[in-house]
Amino acid sequence: MDKREIICIVCPIGCHMELVQDRGVEAGYRVYGAQCKRGRVYGVKEVTRPTRLLTTTVEIQDADLPRLPVRSARELAKDKILEAISLIKKIKVKAPIKMGDVLLENILDTGVDIIASRDLTEAREEKIYG
Ligand code: SF4
């Protein structure tokens, strides 16, 4: 019998949950310790098909900052995260970029795009007054 202990991260209360496999219930697990339905749903998902929002940065050329924050448009399967980061590292972008611009479509055939998390304009030339 599979038994897992996890801490719910859905809200700041952080309930300690125990999930016990039970083929007799629809979700496949009995959840103990959760104070609400959202936590129970999270717990079952976490032990059956865990996902994460991926956030990282990529190098950007011709911008005021050297790195552009990027994220997955939706959550990705947790076991795809490291492979996805390796692909994202290879992206080369150039300013200007708008928040939400798609930088990589359908990463690893997951149906999830990698998008810019903010605007970055082209670097302005320094003006010297004197
Ligand atoms: S189970 Fe509900 S109350 Fe407890 S941490 Fe999760 S979301 Fe919050």
Side-chain angles (χ1 to χ4, degrees):
M1 180 174 40
D2 186 23
K3 198 173 178 179
R4 299 268 306 274
E5 286 183 23
I6 63 172
I7 295 173
C8 182
I9 59 170
V10 175
C11 88
I13 293 174
C15 294
H16 288 245
M17 299 190 286
E18 185 178 77
L19 289 100
V20 181
Q21 195 169 34
D22 183 345
R23 294 183 204 289
V25 294
E26 190 182 343
Y29 282 85
R30 285 196 185 277
V31 183
Y32 301 97
Q35 289 184 36
C36 72
K37 185 179 176 185
R38 281 196 316 156
R40 287 191 288 279
V41 170
Y42 165 78
V44 171
K45 184 166 156 266
E46 186 62 13
V47 297
T48 55
R49 45 181 176 81
T51 58
R52 294 288 185 276
L53 198 68
L54 188 165
T55 60
T56 184
T57 61
V58 298
E59 195 178 322
I60 183 164
Q61 292 179 335
D62 300 339
D64 284 328
L65 297 173
R67 313 273 314 165
L68 171 71
V70 303
R71 67 178 177 85
S72 55
R74 289 185 287 113
E75 291 194 338
L76 281 169
K78 194 176 168 188
D79 61 3
K80 299 267 186 193
I81 296 287
L82 289 179
E83 199 180 345
I85 288 174
S86 300
L87 277 181
I88 292 168
K89 275 186 187 170
K90 295 176 186 164
I91 297 175
K92 292 193 186 338
V93 293
K94 203 168 168 350
I97 290 281
K98 286 270 181 213
M99 184 168 73
D101 279 356
V102 175
L103 308 174
L104 192 58
E105 273 183 26
N106 188 23
I107 191 163
L108 299 169
D109 291 325
T110 56
V112 179
D113 297 334
I114 301 303
I115 60 174
S117 296
R118 60 164 290 175
D119 295 348
L120 265 183
T121 55
E122 283 176 281
R124 279 170 280 151
E125 299 254 336
E126 289 278 324
K127 288 193 176 143
I128 299 167
Y129 298 96

